[in-house]
Amino acid sequence: MSVWSFTVFWVLAALGVFGLWVTLLILGPNRMFRGTAVERAYFAVTETLPEALERWMRSGVGDALAARAERVWNALFGRRNPIIQIFGVVLYWTGLAVFFAQVAPYIPNRYVASWQWYIPANKVFSGVTAIHTHFEQYN
């Protein structure tokens, strides 16, 4: 087994876990899945797991430090934070700019097929759509 196939395996495994996670978070609260394993997994991921992590953190570092960490988390991610939003947008578009400047001239090559040009094009389209819908809701 070569190193390349081992890396591909882990990338596919990570994508599978991420896809399962996102699918679970999207489908979990749906009425169609009430009383099923999907709903139980959704509650385990969104309620049981965070509570268990909080108990583990409080027992490990103490209540005072855990309360500070919770305040910082809520300040950064618990509500709209323009600094974090700006950072995310800059990171997103900078990554695309680096891709188009550094990687694009080498597509297609032996590892990347020519059809994979649609991936960054889709990212640009979804980014523009997200920005448009973000500003449309405030007009």
Side-chain angles (χ1 to χ4, degrees):
M1 182 179 248
S2 69
V3 175
W4 176 252
S5 60
F6 181 75
T7 305
V8 170
F9 168 76
W10 284 110
V11 167
L12 292 176
L15 286 173
V17 169
F18 179 73
L20 179 66
W21 186 272
V22 170
T23 303
L24 181 68
L25 292 177
I26 290 172
L27 296 179
N30 194 328
R31 287 183 294 171
M32 181 173 67
F33 294 105
R34 280 200 184 130
T36 65
V38 174
E39 184 187 41
R40 287 191 293 277
Y42 173 77
F43 282 117
V45 167
T46 59
E47 293 181 14
T48 308
L49 181 65
E51 290 172 3
L53 288 173
E54 184 178 354
R55 281 194 308 271
W56 174 74
M57 190 172 83
R58 288 190 185 280
S59 68
V61 298
D63 286 336
L65 188 58
R68 282 193 192 119
E70 186 175 359
R71 278 196 305 272
V72 168
W73 179 267
N74 287 335
L76 292 176
F77 304 111
R79 62 179 187 272
R80 283 192 178 164
N81 188 340
I83 300 298
I84 297 297
Q85 289 177 344
I86 290 170
F87 177 73
V89 167
V90 167
L91 187 65
Y92 178 83
W93 289 104
T94 304
L96 280 174
V98 167
F99 172 83
F100 283 116
Q102 300 295 321
V103 179
Y106 300 106
I107 294 178
N109 62 32
R110 135 182 192 194
Y111 300 109
V112 181
S114 61
W115 66 266
Q116 290 174 316
W117 258 106
Y118 295 115
I119 296 170
N122 182 25
K123 289 293 186 187
V124 170
F125 176 73
S126 61
V128 170
T129 305
I131 289 173
H132 175 71
T133 55
H134 172 74
F135 288 116
E136 277 295 312
Q137 69 182 353
Y138 295 110
N139 287 335

